[in-house]
Amino acid sequence: MTDLPATIALLERQDDGWRGEIPANWLQGRTALGGLSSALALHAAQQAEADLPPLRSALVAFIGPLSGAVTVRATRLRRGRNAAFVQADVSSEAGLGLRATFVFMAPIASTLDHRGGEAPTVAAPRPGDPISRGRPEIAFTGNFAMLDAPAELAGPAEWLRWVRLEGRAGLDPMVELIAVADALPPAALKLLGRFAPLSSMTWQLNLLTAQPRTTDGWWLLGARTDHARDGNSSQRMTIWNADGVAVAEQMQSVALFG
């Protein structure tokens, strides 16, 4: 099994970007997990510009399938006094698979300090808890340890699950977090009560802190479907650290074929 640090380490710098391979253990069906391809895009974006401020937002479009050999190209769109915009494209033999715009922004002095996103009251995993190590039929899940929160804490169209990336040594914290952030199945599947073919289309992730940290690698992920109709689902997602502090908010559009 090839973990995320090894996948990044195997990227080769080329004149026009980076060349690498999507390991088979990171696939979900015929394409890579969105968190994996987004992590490769973020890594390339971080190398495209010197002395970038912290990542604060990512806008990702999942355009086509990504597997096998891939090319990652990153381009600075604009850099101002406080913020830098970097675009990253990931392509494979099938063509452009992912396009991401990353916004890096330095802290700005402000009188505002308003915070929400309180975490559900659920303890972080402890030794002896029944940790799941993935499902053999869904390859990418083997890269994560997972533990569902008590069922009564999640609604009928909501997942609430502790997730930890198992291979993370030496990773940039933002690269680790963006890989973890996409680990949950779409919440609309809970409404269906069964598996159905699906495809994420767009994803926005907003970081609420410049330095996301947690304990022992555990993050609490929540995903709730607000609307699911005509084969499309819109969902909101939150990530909390092990202390119950919200570190990211997200929104995703998902196509469901079933």
Side-chain angles (χ1 to χ4, degrees), residues 101-165:
T101 301
F102 297 105
V103 184
F104 302 86
M105 183 174 174
I108 300 173
S110 174
T111 58
L112 289 177
D113 189 357
H114 174 74
R115 309 181 196 189
E118 290 78 12
T121 304
V122 52
R126 293 164 291 190
D129 284 343
I131 305 300
S132 168
R133 301 292 176 177
R135 299 173 56 182
E137 69 274 21
I138 306 175
F140 83 85
T141 62
N143 296 284
F144 300 96
M146 300 183 183
L147 177 65
D148 282 332
E152 63 271 16
L153 295 179
E158 182 180 18
W159 298 116
L160 194 60
R161 182 176 293 171
W162 288 99
V163 178
R164 179 176 67 189
L165 180 65

Side-chain angles (χ1 to χ4, degrees), residues 11-12 14 16-22 40 44 66-74 88-93 95-98:
L11 290 173
E12 295 182 3
Q14 306 286 329
D16 60 345
W18 301 78
R19 301 290 173 85
E21 190 89 12
I22 301 293
L40 298 182
L66 287 169
S67 62
V70 294
T71 300
V72 190
R73 298 181 177 90
D89 290 347
V90 186
S91 304
S92 68
E93 189 177 78
L96 180 62
L98 177 147

Side-chain angles (χ1 to χ4, degrees), residues 13-34:
R13 193 70 180 261
Q14 306 286 329
D15 291 339
D16 60 345
W18 301 78
R19 301 290 173 85
E21 190 89 12
I22 301 293
N25 62 284
W26 280 100
L27 294 176
Q28 51 173 358
R30 64 194 184 105
T31 191
L33 172 71

Side-chain angles (χ1 to χ4, degrees), residues 147-207:
L147 177 65
D148 282 332
E152 63 271 16
L153 295 179
E158 182 180 18
W159 298 116
L160 194 60
R161 182 176 293 171
W162 288 99
V163 178
R164 179 176 67 189
L165 180 65
E166 288 294 75
R168 61 187 188 280
L171 281 180
D172 177 274
M174 295 299 188
V175 172
E176 175 188 346
L177 189 63
I178 205 168
V180 169
D182 191 42
L184 291 184
L189 286 184
K190 192 172 182 182
L191 286 173
L192 279 177
R194 58 179 172 82
F195 175 79
L198 56 91
S199 178
S200 296
M201 297 188 294
T202 60
W203 177 25
Q204 178 170 356
L205 179 146
N206 292 329
L207 276 300

Side-chain angles (χ1 to χ4, degrees), residues 57-60 202-206 249-252:
S57 188
L59 301 165
V60 182
T202 60
W203 177 25
Q204 178 170 356
L205 179 146
N206 292 329
E249 292 181 341
Q250 310 174 75
M251 190 168 186
Q252 198 169 67

Side-chain angles (χ1 to χ4, degrees), residues 4 8 82 101:
L4 181 54
I8 291 175
N82 297 306
T101 301

